[in-house]
Amino acid sequence: MPVTRVPIRELLAAEAPRREIEVAGWVRTRRDSREFSFLEINDGSCLTSLQAVVAFDTEGYAQIKDASTGSAVLLQGELIASPAKGQRFELKASRLTIVGTCPEEYPLQKKRHSDEFLRTIGHLRSRTNKYGAMFRIRSRLSFAVHQFFQSKGFHYIHTPIITGADCEGAGDMFRVTTLQGASGARALGERDFADDFFGQEAHLTVSGQLAVETYCLALSKVYTFGPTFRSENSNTSRHAAEFWMIEPEIAFANLHDDMQLAEDFVRYLLEFVRTDCREDLALFAQFVDPEITARIDGVLNSEFARVQYGEAIDILNSAKQSFEFALAWGSDLQSEHERYLVEQHFHRPVFVYDWPRDIKAFYMRQNDDQKTVAAMDLLVPKIGELIGGSQREERHDRLHTRIEELGFKPTDYWWYLDTRRFGSAPHAGFGLGFERLLMFATGVSNIRDVIPFPRTPKNLDF
Ligand code: 4AD
Ligand code: MG
């Protein structure tokens, strides 16, 4: 019988002992007794490591000292019922091969390290239980995002990463240029851009929305899921300069349809993580945030609240608690306000909608009151804003006027405006920050620890 390589996840879930198998992975620990060595092997297929017993007469045993913490090994043998507590099976090795040795300087010798330290070894932290679990969850949730939309008939649109448009109009954009030296460094005039790669100013996208809207007005239900880039200089635990955003867009729909879609989506993802990622999630419940299971259950068992911005301001102004930032109608909500609304007042996720026009983006649909737009933010416990969305201004004249009022050039948005001339229809969408979702789902409190290689101000390691 040929020897087959089996992922540890599959072995641990086996129904019965198996013969002639091979396991490949990294040694987490080794304990030596006089006649045996016990190796804990992890191959990343799941959180739990497989215990392997290597006896002194096993082929390759002479190299056992090289099977040190962190080394890469190959083991052949049979899966047998384990006499040890807490595991059904173990591997009785018939052959040990050292694939890659690992000297003592390996920084992951002890079991627990601080997140801060692990960020300094971003190329190795994936080998810890916690980061292995995190990035398996991230992978599974990415899959769940597609599963949710695909099962509802949405089409996945790849929107461009390099763009000539500024979606949010906030100006927090990274420039893309091939101009070298002095001309690239100084503030560039129009003539210089003519010499640049695209012959005009180019940036990394802050959102796929404007592009995906054009496809929404053809395919009705679409979404994009890709990296977005913002150069806002906010060095917080919830902002990254490169993050992933999921942006669905639905045609013939209004703000209330949009909020319903957002609620269904968030519920689906939490339900998914609770059932699909049980083992990895348990690690976060044990070591990171003991409240996480209760918080997820709480969200799943309650309907999300919906409150107009004006009412939210009233609630905050009559709160017994005092806030660092004073509030009046027209001010943006700070994190302390968001958290008060969710954690102290509503005790469940809440949509705040109908926001003041002047603090929101140009494309949002203007309400009849002349003051507000059909925008919504979804606030969740611990995180604050998880989602931002809106019904879009589908009326050509209103949109054109708004672009001019804000001092933007309508010619820069000619194609976007065109979609309002040719068969315009009410439509709405939102953006969910994928890292914020991961923080919410695992209880991890810093965005740097939910993305493989975080990009934040003054930090571009790895
Ligand atoms: O509220 P935002 O800015 O909305 C948009 O970009 C819209 N174009 C979306 C749309 O309607 N299609 O961003 C959406 C979400 C936020 O709610 C937040 O979760 C996340 O993206 N986000 C960030 N996540 C990490 N780091 C940052 N710097 C983020 N900025 C926004
Ligand atoms: Mg927002």
Side-chain angles (χ1 to χ4, degrees):
M1 219 173 27
V3 178
T4 36
R5 169 94 46 86
V6 192
I8 288 172
R9 176 192 174 86
E10 197 181 310
L11 291 178
L12 294 174
E15 300 279 316
R18 287 179 65 167
R19 305 186 54 196
E20 307 279 341
I21 53 167
E22 179 176 280
V23 168
W26 292 267
V27 175
R28 283 291 163 81
T29 56
R30 189 186 81 235
R31 283 182 296 122
D32 298 319
S33 72
R34 198 201 285 239
E35 301 201 329
F36 303 98
S37 287
F38 296 100
L39 298 180
E40 294 286 333
I41 309 290
N42 192 284
D43 67 358
S45 59
C46 62
L47 179 67
T48 308
S49 298
L50 178 71
Q51 169 154 295
V53 185
V54 189
F56 74 97
D57 56 353
T58 303
E59 192 182 335
Y61 185 78
Q63 272 76 51
I64 192 75
K65 292 284 178 241
D66 282 337
S68 56
T69 297
S71 62
V73 298
L74 236 155
L75 285 163
Q76 291 176 352
E78 55 182 318
L79 191 71
I80 59 167
S82 174
K85 250 200 168 146
Q87 59 191 16
R88 284 173 58 223
F89 293 114
E90 64 185 31
L91 184 80
K92 183 166 176 276
S94 57
R95 181 174 185 182
L96 163 71
T97 312
I98 306 292
V99 178
T101 57
C102 188
E104 246 171 68
E105 306 92 88
Y106 181 57
L108 298 173
Q109 298 289 352
K110 61 179 174 102
K111 280 231 156 130
R112 295 194 71 178
H113 298 273
S114 72
D115 294 325
E116 289 75 14
F117 169 70
L118 290 171
R119 271 174 230 146
T120 69
I121 49 166
H123 58 306
L124 295 173
R125 68 176 181 173
S126 46
R127 299 199 198 179
T128 63
N129 282 343
K130 181 171 165 183
Y131 288 86
M134 172 55 74
F135 295 111
R136 276 187 299 273
I137 292 178
R138 188 175 167 115
S139 167
R140 293 302 294 164
L141 274 175
S142 305
F143 166 73
V145 165
H146 290 294
Q147 184 159 278
F148 174 83
F149 287 117
Q150 296 284 335
S151 72
K152 290 183 175 303
F154 282 67
H155 305 288
Y156 178 31
I157 307 297
H158 292 117
T159 51
I161 287 172
I162 301 176
T163 173
D166 177 1
C167 174
E168 294 303 300
D172 298 321
M173 301 184 88
F174 290 101
R175 187 186 299 287
V176 176
T177 181
T178 52
L179 293 175
Q180 298 294 318
S183 62
R186 90 177 118 89
L188 296 156
E190 298 230 345
R191 261 188 79 218
D192 293 315
F193 289 123
D195 300 332
D196 205 347
F197 187 88
F198 296 103
Q200 66 170 84
E201 269 191 279
H203 294 96
L204 295 178
T205 188
V206 294
S207 158
Q209 180 197 322
L210 301 191
V212 95
E213 273 188 58
T214 68
Y215 279 79
C216 173
L217 293 172
L219 305 184
S220 291
K221 295 198 279 187
V222 296
Y223 68 107
T224 180
F225 180 10
T228 47
F229 308 87
R230 295 191 186 180
S231 61
E232 53 198 336
N233 211 351
S234 38
N235 217 335
T236 78
S237 58
R238 300 178 311 135
H239 290 86
E242 177 177 307
F243 63 99
W244 285 65
M245 188 157 45
I246 297 133
E247 297 181 273
E249 194 74 27
I250 43 178
F252 307 102
N254 63 25
L255 186 66
H256 294 275
D257 303 320
D258 200 33
M259 290 193 278
Q260 193 56 51
L261 178 66
E263 177 166 351
D264 294 346
F265 182 43
V266 170
R267 280 181 188 288
Y268 181 89
L269 295 175
L270 291 179
E271 186 68 56
F272 182 93
V273 82
R274 188 168 73 164
T275 50
D276 186 273
C277 308
R278 204 176 285 276
E279 185 190 29
D280 286 325
L281 201 58
L283 177 144
F284 292 94
Q286 191 181 351
F287 296 112
V288 175
D289 182 356
E291 313 274 290
I292 191 67
T293 318
R295 196 173 314 112
I296 293 178
D297 290 350
V299 169
L300 288 173
N301 294 334
S302 59
E303 260 177 46
F304 295 7
R306 286 157 170 72
V307 62
Q308 281 180 310
Y309 167 88
E311 292 171 57
I313 294 293
D314 292 343
I315 292 169
L316 289 163
N317 279 332
S318 52
K320 294 209 177 62
Q321 180 176 333
S322 65
F323 298 109
E324 191 187 332
F325 294 92
L327 271 185
W329 199 97
S331 17
D332 207 351
L333 300 187
Q334 303 296 323
S335 165
E336 55 176 347
H337 308 126
E338 295 174 349
R339 297 194 55 175
Y340 177 87
L341 287 172
V342 183
E343 291 164 24
Q344 309 295 323
H345 189 83
F346 287 102
H347 305 285
R348 54 198 163 124
V350 52
F351 288 104
V352 179
Y353 68 98
D354 285 349
W355 287 73
R357 189 177 65 173
D358 293 340
I359 57 171
K360 288 291 184 185
F362 74 95
Y363 53 72
M364 296 178 176
R365 193 177 196 278
Q366 297 171 50
N367 290 327
D368 292 341
D369 63 11
Q370 307 288 325
K371 297 192 306 192
T372 60
V373 285
M376 59 90 161
D377 275 5
L378 175 65
L379 312 179
V380 300
K382 265 198 95 172
I383 306 294
E385 181 188 337
L386 174 65
I387 283 179
S390 62
Q391 185 173 337
R392 320 306 188 188
E393 184 55 82
E394 86 282 13
R395 297 163 296 188
H396 181 274
D397 294 353
R398 297 284 187 104
L399 185 60
H400 192 277
T401 309
R402 189 69 189 140
I403 288 173
E404 282 186 324
E405 271 171 11
L406 290 168
F408 305 152
K409 282 194 261 161
T411 47
D412 286 349
Y413 294 93
W414 70 271
W415 53 271
Y416 189 68
L417 283 161
D418 242 17
T419 60
R420 274 62 172 169
R421 289 173 56 213
F422 306 131
S424 188
H427 60 290
F430 63 81
L432 176 144
F434 192 50
E435 285 71 26
R436 300 233 179 129
L437 175 82
L438 284 162
M439 292 167 73
F440 184 47
T442 58
V444 166
S445 58
N446 198 312
I447 196 164
R448 292 164 180 79
D449 301 330
V450 301
I451 185 164
F453 296 101
R455 272 79 180 91
T456 49
K458 302 282 178 281
N459 168 36
L460 191 61
D461 294 338
F462 313 106

